[in-house]
Coordinates of all heavy atoms in Angstrom, one line a residue:
T1 N 38.4 58.1 -51.0 CA 39.2 59.1 -51.8 C 40.3 59.5 -50.9 O 40.1 59.7 -49.6 CB 38.3 60.3 -52.2 OG1 37.8 60.9 -51.0 CG2 37.2 59.8 -53.1
E2 N 41.5 59.7 -51.4 CA 42.6 60.2 -50.6 C 43.7 60.7 -51.6 O 43.6 60.5 -52.8 CB 43.2 59.1 -49.7 CG 43.9 58.0 -50.5 CD 44.5 57.0 -49.6 OE1 45.2 57.4 -48.6 OE2 44.4 55.8 -49.9
T3 N 44.7 61.4 -51.0 CA 45.8 61.7 -51.8 C 46.8 60.5 -51.8 O 47.1 60.0 -50.7 CB 46.5 63.0 -51.2 OG1 45.6 64.1 -51.3 CG2 47.8 63.3 -52.0
F4 N 47.2 60.0 -52.9 CA 48.0 58.9 -53.0 C 49.1 59.2 -54.0 O 48.8 59.6 -55.1 CB 47.2 57.7 -53.5 CG 47.9 56.4 -53.4 CD1 47.7 55.6 -52.2 CD2 48.6 55.8 -54.4 CE1 48.3 54.4 -52.1 CE2 49.3 54.6 -54.3 CZ 49.1 53.9 -53.1
A5 N 50.4 59.0 -53.6 CA 51.5 59.4 -54.5 C 51.4 60.9 -54.9 O 51.8 61.2 -56.0 CB 51.6 58.5 -55.7
G6 N 50.9 61.7 -54.0 CA 50.8 63.1 -54.2 C 49.6 63.5 -55.2 O 49.5 64.6 -55.6
Q7 N 48.8 62.5 -55.6 CA 47.7 62.8 -56.5 C 46.4 62.5 -55.9 O 46.3 61.6 -55.1 CB 47.9 61.8 -57.8 CG 49.3 61.9 -58.4 CD 49.6 63.3 -59.0 OE1 48.7 63.9 -59.6 NE2 50.8 63.8 -58.7
P8 N 45.3 63.2 -56.3 CA 44.0 62.8 -55.9 C 43.7 61.4 -56.4 O 43.9 61.1 -57.6 CB 43.1 63.8 -56.5 CG 44.0 64.9 -57.1 CD 45.3 64.3 -57.2
S9 N 43.2 60.5 -55.5 CA 42.9 59.2 -56.0 C 41.5 58.7 -55.4 O 41.0 59.3 -54.5 CB 43.9 58.2 -55.4 OG 43.7 57.9 -54.1
V10 N 41.0 57.7 -56.1 CA 39.7 57.1 -55.7 C 40.1 55.6 -55.5 O 41.1 55.1 -56.1 CB 38.6 57.2 -56.6 CG1 38.2 58.7 -56.8 CG2 38.9 56.6 -58.0
G11 N 39.3 54.9 -54.8 CA 39.5 53.4 -54.6 C 38.6 52.8 -53.7 O 37.5 53.3 -53.4
H12 N 39.0 51.6 -53.2 CA 38.2 50.8 -52.3 C 39.1 50.1 -51.3 O 40.2 49.7 -51.7 CB 37.5 49.7 -53.1 CG 36.6 50.3 -54.2 ND1 35.3 50.8 -54.0 CD2 36.8 50.4 -55.5 CE1 34.8 51.2 -55.1 NE2 35.7 51.0 -56.1
D13 N 38.7 50.0 -50.1 CA 39.3 49.2 -49.1 C 38.4 47.9 -49.0 O 37.2 48.0 -48.7 CB 39.3 49.9 -47.7 CG 40.3 51.1 -47.7 OD1 41.3 51.0 -48.5 OD2 40.1 52.0 -47.0
V14 N 39.0 46.8 -49.2 CA 38.3 45.5 -49.4 C 38.7 44.5 -48.4 O 39.9 44.4 -48.1 CB 38.5 45.0 -50.8 CG1 37.7 43.7 -51.0 CG2 38.2 46.0 -51.9
R15 N 37.8 43.7 -47.9 CA 38.1 42.6 -47.0 C 37.3 41.4 -47.4 O 36.1 41.5 -47.8 CB 37.7 43.0 -45.5 CG 38.5 44.1 -44.9 CD 37.8 44.9 -43.9 NE 36.5 45.3 -44.2 CZ 36.2 46.4 -45.0 NH1 37.1 47.1 -45.5 NH2 34.9 46.8 -45.2
F16 N 38.0 40.3 -47.4 CA 37.3 39.0 -47.8 C 38.0 37.8 -47.2 O 39.2 37.9 -46.7 CB 37.3 38.9 -49.4 CG 38.6 38.8 -50.0 CD1 39.3 37.6 -50.3 CD2 39.3 40.0 -50.4 CE1 40.5 37.6 -50.9 CE2 40.5 40.0 -51.1 CZ 41.1 38.7 -51.3
F17 N 37.3 36.7 -47.2 CA 37.9 35.5 -46.6 C 38.4 34.6 -47.7 O 37.7 34.4 -48.7 CB 36.9 34.7 -45.8 CG 36.5 35.4 -44.5 CD1 35.4 36.2 -44.4 CD2 37.4 35.4 -43.4 CE1 35.0 36.8 -43.2 CE2 37.1 36.0 -42.2 CZ 35.9 36.8 -42.1
S18 N 39.6 34.0 -47.5 CA 40.1 33.0 -48.5 C 41.0 32.1 -47.7 O 41.8 32.5 -46.9 CB 40.9 33.7 -49.6 OG 41.5 32.7 -50.4
L19 N 40.7 30.8 -47.8 CA 41.5 29.7 -47.1 C 41.4 30.0 -45.5 O 42.4 29.9 -44.9 CB 42.9 29.7 -47.5 CG 43.1 29.4 -49.0 CD1 44.6 29.4 -49.4 CD2 42.5 28.0 -49.4
D20 N 40.3 30.4 -45.0 CA 40.0 30.7 -43.6 C 40.8 31.9 -43.1 O 41.0 32.0 -41.9 CB 40.3 29.4 -42.8 CG 39.3 28.3 -43.0 OD1 38.1 28.6 -43.4 OD2 39.7 27.2 -42.9
L21 N 41.3 32.7 -44.0 CA 42.1 33.9 -43.5 C 41.4 35.1 -44.0 O 40.8 35.1 -45.1 CB 43.5 33.9 -44.1 CG 44.4 32.7 -43.7 CD1 45.7 32.8 -44.4 CD2 44.7 32.8 -42.2
T22 N 41.4 36.2 -43.2 CA 40.9 37.5 -43.7 C 42.0 38.1 -44.5 O 43.2 38.2 -44.1 CB 40.6 38.4 -42.5 OG1 39.7 37.7 -41.6 CG2 40.0 39.7 -43.0
N23 N 41.6 38.6 -45.7 CA 42.5 39.3 -46.6 C 42.1 40.7 -46.7 O 40.9 41.0 -46.8 CB 42.5 38.6 -48.0 CG 43.2 37.3 -48.0 OD1 44.3 37.2 -48.4 ND2 42.5 36.2 -47.6
T24 N 43.0 41.6 -46.7 CA 42.8 43.0 -46.9 C 43.4 43.4 -48.2 O 44.6 43.2 -48.5 CB 43.4 43.8 -45.7 OG1 42.8 43.3 -44.5 CG2 43.1 45.3 -45.9
C25 N 42.6 44.1 -49.0 CA 43.1 44.6 -50.3 C 42.8 46.1 -50.4 O 41.7 46.5 -50.1 CB 42.3 43.8 -51.4 SG 42.8 44.3 -53.1
R26 N 43.8 46.8 -50.8 CA 43.6 48.3 -51.1 C 43.7 48.5 -52.6 O 44.7 48.1 -53.2 CB 44.7 49.1 -50.3 CG 44.5 49.1 -48.8 CD 45.5 49.9 -48.1 NE 45.5 51.3 -48.6 CZ 46.4 52.2 -48.5 NH1 47.6 51.8 -47.9 NH2 46.3 53.4 -48.9
I27 N 42.7 49.2 -53.1 CA 42.7 49.5 -54.5 C 42.7 51.0 -54.6 O 41.9 51.7 -54.0 CB 41.4 49.0 -55.2 CG1 41.3 47.5 -55.1 CG2 41.3 49.5 -56.6 CD1 39.9 46.9 -55.5
R28 N 43.6 51.6 -55.4 CA 43.7 53.0 -55.6 C 44.0 53.3 -57.0 O 44.8 52.6 -57.7 CB 44.8 53.7 -54.7 CG 44.7 53.5 -53.2 CD 43.5 54.3 -52.7 NE 43.4 54.2 -51.3 CZ 42.7 53.2 -50.6 NH1 42.2 52.2 -51.2 NH2 42.7 53.2 -49.3
S29 N 43.3 54.4 -57.6 CA 43.6 54.8 -58.9 C 43.7 56.3 -59.0 O 43.0 57.0 -58.3 CB 42.4 54.3 -59.8 OG 42.6 54.6 -61.2
F30 N 44.6 56.7 -59.9 CA 44.9 58.2 -60.0 C 45.5 58.4 -61.4 O 45.9 57.5 -62.1 CB 45.8 58.7 -58.9 CG 47.1 57.9 -58.8 CD1 48.2 58.3 -59.5 CD2 47.2 56.8 -57.9 CE1 49.4 57.6 -59.4 CE2 48.4 56.1 -57.8 CZ 49.5 56.5 -58.5
R31 N 45.6 59.7 -61.7 CA 46.2 60.1 -63.0 C 47.6 60.6 -62.9 O 47.9 61.2 -61.8 CB 45.3 61.2 -63.6 CG 44.0 60.8 -64.0 CD 43.9 60.8 -65.5 NE 42.5 60.7 -65.8 CZ 42.1 60.1 -66.9 NH1 42.9 59.7 -67.8 NH2 40.8 60.0 -67.2
T32 N 48.4 60.3 -63.9 CA 49.7 60.9 -64.0 C 49.9 61.4 -65.4 O 49.0 61.3 -66.3 CB 50.8 59.9 -63.8 OG1 50.9 59.0 -64.9 CG2 50.6 59.1 -62.5
A33 N 51.0 62.1 -65.7 CA 51.2 62.6 -67.0 C 51.3 61.4 -68.1 O 50.9 61.6 -69.2 CB 52.6 63.3 -67.1
A34 N 51.7 60.2 -67.6 CA 51.8 59.1 -68.5 C 50.5 58.3 -68.7 O 50.4 57.6 -69.7 CB 52.8 58.1 -68.0
G35 N 49.5 58.5 -67.9 CA 48.2 57.8 -68.0 C 47.5 57.6 -66.7 O 47.8 58.3 -65.7
T36 N 46.6 56.6 -66.7 CA 45.9 56.3 -65.5 C 46.6 55.1 -64.8 O 46.9 54.1 -65.4 CB 44.4 55.9 -65.8 OG1 43.8 56.9 -66.6 CG2 43.6 55.7 -64.6
V37 N 46.7 55.3 -63.5 CA 47.5 54.2 -62.7 C 46.5 53.5 -61.7 O 45.6 54.2 -61.1 CB 48.6 54.9 -61.9 CG1 49.3 53.9 -61.0 CG2 49.6 55.6 -62.8
L38 N 46.7 52.2 -61.6 CA 45.9 51.4 -60.6 C 47.0 50.8 -59.7 O 47.9 50.1 -60.2 CB 45.1 50.3 -61.3 CG 44.4 49.4 -60.4 CD1 43.2 50.1 -59.7 CD2 43.9 48.2 -61.1
V39 N 46.8 50.9 -58.4 CA 47.7 50.3 -57.4 C 46.8 49.4 -56.6 O 45.7 49.8 -56.1 CB 48.4 51.3 -56.5 CG1 49.2 50.6 -55.5 CG2 49.2 52.3 -57.3
L40 N 47.2 48.1 -56.5 CA 46.4 47.1 -55.7 C 47.4 46.4 -54.8 O 48.4 45.9 -55.3 CB 45.7 46.1 -56.7 CG 44.8 45.1 -56.0 CD1 43.6 44.8 -57.0 CD2 45.5 43.9 -55.7
S41 N 47.1 46.4 -53.5 CA 47.9 45.7 -52.6 C 47.0 44.7 -51.8 O 45.9 45.1 -51.5 CB 48.7 46.6 -51.6 OG 47.8 47.4 -50.8
Q42 N 47.6 43.6 -51.5 CA 46.8 42.6 -50.7 C 47.7 41.8 -49.7 O 48.8 41.5 -50.0 CB 46.2 41.6 -51.7 CG 45.3 40.6 -51.1 CD 44.6 39.7 -52.1 OE1 44.1 40.3 -53.1 NE2 44.6 38.4 -51.9
V43 N 47.1 41.6 -48.5 CA 47.8 40.9 -47.5 C 46.8 40.1 -46.6 O 45.6 40.6 -46.5 CB 48.7 41.9 -46.6 CG1 47.8 42.9 -45.9 CG2 49.6 41.1 -45.7
N44 N 47.2 39.0 -46.1 CA 46.2 38.3 -45.2 C 46.6 38.7 -43.7 O 47.6 39.3 -43.4 CB 46.2 36.8 -45.4 CG 47.5 36.1 -45.0 OD1 48.0 36.3 -43.9 ND2 48.1 35.3 -45.8

C-alpha cells in the first residue's frame, strides 16, 4: 500500500523469470473521480 499519483493505492510488487531474465512488475490500483485505475509497469 502506498500513495500513488497522490491517491491511496494498493498493489503488488512482483518478480518472475522469463527467458532466463528476472522481470519486475509493479501493480498499483487507486480511485479517481473518473473511476478505478490500474497501473502496471514491467521491466527485466
Side-chain angles (χ1 to χ4, degrees):
T1 59
E2 68 175 316
T3 300
F4 194 90
Q7 306 299 314
S9 77
V10 299
H12 304 278
D13 291 332
V14 182
R15 293 153 312 281
F16 61 92
F17 291 100
S18 177
L19 303 174
D20 294 329
L21 297 172
T22 302
N23 287 265
T24 302
C25 179
R26 290 182 58 199
I27 300 167
R28 299 294 184 271
S29 185
F30 55 90
R31 293 249 191 210
T32 72
T36 307
V37 176
L38 177 72
V39 178
L40 186 146
S41 64
Q42 185 174 312
V43 64
N44 71 49

